[in-house]
Amino acid sequence: MTDVTAEPPPAAEPVLLTTDDDGVRTLTLNRPFRKNAINAELWGALNDALTDAGKDPDVRALVVTGAGGAFCSGADVAAGDIARAKSHPLPRMRNLTDVAQLLHELPKPSIAKVDGVAVGAGWNLALGCDFVVATPGARFSQIFARRGLSLDLGGSWLLPKLVGLQQAKRLVLLADMVSAEEARDLNLVTWIVSAEEIDTFVADLGKRLAAGPPIALAQSKLLLNEGANSTMREALANEARAQVINFATEDAPEAAVAFTEKRDARFTGKWGVPPR
């Protein structure tokens, strides 16, 4: 059960904060008094926010983080919440699975900015992002077994692909807490950055991603996500189709012009095929 660390915020304060900065949208889980454990309201807010980010052409990159010195302590399994739930658990589980699917299929690069704990569904929420940036004090656990549960939010698919089957079983069946350094050694953290520098580091990373060619990045992300389950023949066919999509934008010609003019390319993702 999630520890209470502070007084609950005023009822009017949103459970998910959204900010935009030059094409980078940041979603901040905002239940610090529960270490940002995700309740039904927050699952719904994440679903809506990820759907909107995927469709908004002004969003070029996404950052997911948590308020109050924690990333996310997982799904809120407080006994009172369970006792009050009157619906069948399967529809409630779909709230989780929809969020995991939306994040995985998001056609924009995504970054998890992790400080403090990221456990259970919270860790798998971070792993669902394309990059994980953590502070040295970040701590991670597939805590499900300690709660009498099996893993969820895509962990059974993500972990074996990232660390191999044997290490995935160790993390899940023992439910140990691991440090940021060990998580990086297991390829579960991309960068470790000091708490004083992580905001600047993630902001710069987000701007680099937002400045990239949006259609091409979306195609590459999809190809990489699907590549592990494809044959070489299927992967090559998918790559060929993706390049045709890229050739139909203004970005590839812009990159060529920028190269000859010795300047940075200005990518827009706009359709570049002239009307007939």
Side-chain angles (χ1 to χ4, degrees):
M1 191 178 299
T2 303
D3 295 330
V4 175
T5 59
E7 290 298 318
E13 189 168 343
V15 295
L16 185 68
L17 306 177
T18 304
T19 58
D20 290 301
D21 182 19
D22 291 334
V24 181
R25 177 162 294 176
T26 299
L27 303 180
T28 303
L29 311 183
N30 190 39
R31 301 185 74 227
F33 62 100
R34 301 285 299 171
K35 294 185 180 178
N36 301 314
I38 310 178
N39 63 359
E41 182 182 3
L42 185 47
W43 284 121
L46 279 168
N47 189 309
D48 293 343
L50 291 170
T51 300
D52 183 66
K55 294 179 179 178
D56 190 339
D58 292 329
V59 177
R60 303 277 290 265
L62 183 79
V63 176
V64 181
T65 191
F71 181 76
C72 177
S73 58
D76 197 333
V77 294
D81 291 346
I82 294 174
R84 286 192 297 270
K86 296 182 179 179
S87 63
H88 192 280
L90 184 57
R92 285 185 276 133
M93 282 303 302
R94 289 193 181 120
N95 293 331
L96 282 72
T97 58
D98 288 349
V99 166
Q101 196 73 37
L102 284 166
L103 183 59
H104 178 68
E105 295 178 352
L106 187 75
K108 322 284 174 81
S110 56
I111 307 163
K113 182 169 68 173
V114 181
D115 189 22
V117 295
V119 301
W123 192 4
N124 292 336
L125 181 69
L127 293 177
C129 295
D130 301 312
F131 303 102
V132 178
V133 185
T135 65
R139 295 176 296 133
F140 304 87
S141 175
Q142 294 289 328
I143 203 168
F144 302 96
R146 298 189 197 178
R147 305 291 184 258
L149 300 169
S150 53
L151 74 172
D152 57 28
L153 211 73
S156 63
W157 189 88
L158 289 163
L159 283 168
K161 288 177 171 57
L162 292 168
V163 302
L165 183 58
Q166 194 172 72
Q167 287 292 343
K169 288 179 178 178
R170 174 178 77 89
L171 291 169
V172 172
L173 302 184
L174 297 178
D176 289 336
M177 189 74 72
V178 302
S179 67
E181 185 174 352
E182 182 179 356
R184 182 181 59 186
D185 291 343
L186 288 166
N187 295 322
L188 298 172
V189 164
T190 321
W191 295 280
I192 298 176
V193 182
S194 71
E196 294 76 21
E197 297 176 342
I198 192 170
D199 288 346
T200 300
F201 182 93
V202 170
D204 290 343
L205 177 60
K207 289 177 182 177
R208 287 178 61 191
L209 293 168
I215 302 301
L217 293 186
Q219 295 300 309
S220 289
K221 176 176 175 175
L222 179 61
L223 289 167
L224 290 169
N225 282 344
E226 294 183 343
N229 301 314
S230 302
T231 65
M232 174 64 94
R233 183 179 297 276
E234 290 167 338
L236 289 168
N238 290 337
E239 289 171 358
R241 282 192 291 269
Q243 291 294 35
V244 171
I245 294 171
N246 296 325
F247 293 149
T249 72
E250 295 179 355
D251 288 344
E254 161 63 11
V257 172
F259 177 78
T260 60
E261 295 180 352
K262 295 181 171 57
R263 61 171 175 81
D264 292 334
R266 295 182 286 270
F267 295 121
T268 64
K270 291 182 179 178
W271 180 250
V273 177
R276 300 184 65 177

